[in-house]
Amino acid sequence: MTVRDALNSALEEEMTADEKVYLLGEEVGQYNGAYKVSKGLLDKFGPKRVIDTPITESGFCGLAVGSAFAGLKPVCEFMTWNFAMQAIDQIVNSAAKTHYMSGGNVDCPITFRGPNGAAAGVAAQHSQCFAAWYGSVPGLKVVSPWNSEDAKGLLKAAIRDPNPVVVLENELMYGISFPMSEAALSKDFVLEIGKAKIEKEGTDVTIVAHSRSVGFALEAAQLLEKEGICSAEVINLRSIRPLDTETIIKSVKKTNRLVTVEGGWPQYGVGSEICAQIMESEAFDHLDAPVVRVTGADVPTPYAQNLEAFAFPDTEVIARVVKRTLNKKIGA
Amino acid sequence: MLSTQKISLAKVAAKAFITPLTVRTFASSAARNVSINLHKGSFESYNCDAPSLDVEISKEELVRMYRSMVTMRRMEMASDGLYKAKLIRGFCHLCTGQEAVAVGMETALTAEDKIITAYRCHGFTYMRGGSITSILAELLGRKAGISGGKGGSMHMFTPNFFGGNGIVGAQVPLGAGIAFAQKYLGHKAATFSLYGDGASNQGQVFEAYNMAKLWELPAVFVCENNRYGMGTAANRSSANTSYFKRGDYIPGLKVNGMDVLAVHQAVAYAKEWTVSGKGPLLLEMETYRYGGHSMSDPGTTYRTREEIQHMRSNNDPITGLKQRLLEFNIITEDEMKAIDKAARVEVDQAVEEAKASGEPDLSEFWTQIYQKEAGVPSVRGREPEEIHHY
């Protein structure tokens, strides 16, 4: 099943199960979704539950949050997360903080979703990764699915979650097909938010990634194993917030080396947070080498293909960094 | 950007820009001018007078308008082909059908006036001095591109054209800001900020209107109403589709945007209005795009082929001007064909030049993040050892 279809199934199943769940966003209805994620939903559920909004993110996000305060369960789609910057005040100040500020009196069971991070050739204003920004906000949950099971299970969990959840999808993953287990095909399949998954077990180094980078991390691990260099353990974060540090710590205690991978900018990023948390934990004493972050480059995304390729991590960069990490000795 | 236009234009002319078109003053001989009467449905006004329906314009200007529109269309058609050949990546929003707006605007303005728009910007870039080669090379992501290949379709700029903006609506307060600077610096010029029917509901547009009116900025807000915001028809996005009235306390004018002379007349009127100290004005250009929203959109799932065909057959801006040129004996059919052919040759040549340009040097990856003097010692790439020191 493709990631797109997995998301579509999740939306369909949750809207069928609960009348209060509705979808709003630009082109989600009649156009069947800018990226076809909401295909068929208007036909199935009608205009009361699938709403085409004007191009007014600040307004419709605020409206969605307000409707959540009043008891509905909105799924608020941003055509890309870049456009949500127009609405970020509502996400952070209205959705994330209100349950706390109201002493628990107001709930906000809203799901925000859309494609995040780089696509192909869409340049600086359309390629930013927002995992670190939303991941820093208390009151929000943030998930970043990689494959189809992640997409379905995490989106369903997000919609069922009584808290505001940010779902960071990836446009380049929408068309990729993955096998789905029997359990994943069930209409009650949910994944726990805040739990990472070990995609591949290993012994020599831990590679932690989220979203599209998981695929590159797995390829790098395969490559290194084939070359006889090492056995890498690959962890798919699945959730940015809460961050499953327990799984990472357990893995580092086993492998003694850690490399993080993400598509976002390096400064103040997901990898930076993992480094800090590992340093502050018991895992520090188990490190044989400093943690290294593989990230997007610290530049606005360029358009030209050769430059764009240099802006985001791929299999080759990850493999190179892992090899270098393995060669580091304590005190050297 | 605020230095005198002549200097900045000359500096970069050799690289990416051609000499910008300027409005010629009327020649001394009356025989060089034509008096054209616009159709009475060309304008509708809101809290202001409509411009005169009588247009006085030189024959040279009319021919220049024709040449510009024909060349622009060729350029966009070439872009269409290059995109389908996968030589252009990402987003590509073409202005085919909307040529009269960019051309009619340019002939009514000077190089001192500024323009800003959203992502449907190739035509404006061309009219504001961008060479066809530099525009096509930018689409191809090459060194010779007007932004060095780093911006792409949505991010093209010239010294008096501020793009080329990817986030719907953001260009409108930016435009008000450019007008603010013009007033602050005492420039007798205006800024034209364009946005679509889809963008017209953005809150920031109204925030820009309010400040422009409060502070009497030389700002003209231009809604290019092509009836659809991506796949959403205007009446499904807007509670009030009379976009020229949406300025409330700002007077407005609705214009037949498929008639280059109506556009020219309205823009000249708007410039005069705003530069003479009457504050901002709103223009709504009724226009139409033949293609989809972008190259990823067929453009036929939310509108009928009949509608598209009808617009092409009855309202095409190039055909409309052609008819006038023949009717007023401005040029002959053969001269017109020669212009058409020359445009095709010019664009074909530009395509070859653009293709021949190489990819940007990898060193350009690290440049222009900041201005050189910013005191940033180094930039990190994808891992700690990919580091660039300045």
Side-chain angles (χ1 to χ4, degrees), chain B residues 38-58:
Chain B
L38 296 175
H39 184 266
K40 74 175 193 298
S42 297
F43 306 119
E44 192 185 330
S45 68
Y46 168 72
N47 289 351
C48 64
D49 294 324
S52 165
L53 290 167
D54 295 317
V55 183
E56 276 272 327
I57 192 160
S58 75

Side-chain angles (χ1 to χ4, degrees), chain A residues 179-212:
Chain A
M180 292 281 272
S181 65
E182 267 305 307
L185 291 168
S186 146
K187 63 176 169 56
D188 286 311
F189 173 70
V190 287
L191 287 174
E192 190 186 334
I193 295 178
K195 223 58 214 97
K197 180 182 180 205
I198 299 176
E199 295 287 349
K200 178 193 173 294
E201 287 187 13
T203 53
D204 304 327
V205 59
T206 302
I207 309 175
V208 179
H210 75 97
S211 187
R212 192 155 177 256

Side-chain angles (χ1 to χ4, degrees), chain A residues 42-61:
Chain A
L42 176 66
D43 286 344
K44 178 152 192 206
F45 296 101
K48 178 179 162 182
R49 302 190 59 204
V50 180
I51 298 157
D52 281 325
T53 62
I55 310 174
T56 56
E57 280 79 1
S58 178
F60 72 68
C61 177

Side-chain angles (χ1 to χ4, degrees), chain A residues 126-158:
Chain A
H126 289 77
S127 306
Q128 193 171 329
C129 174
F130 294 88
W133 286 21
Y134 292 113
S136 71
V137 180
L140 282 183
K141 291 192 181 178
V142 182
V143 298
S144 181
W146 166 54
N147 63 10
S148 305
E149 274 203 22
D150 289 354
K152 187 173 180 214
L154 291 173
L155 181 54
K156 284 168 77 75

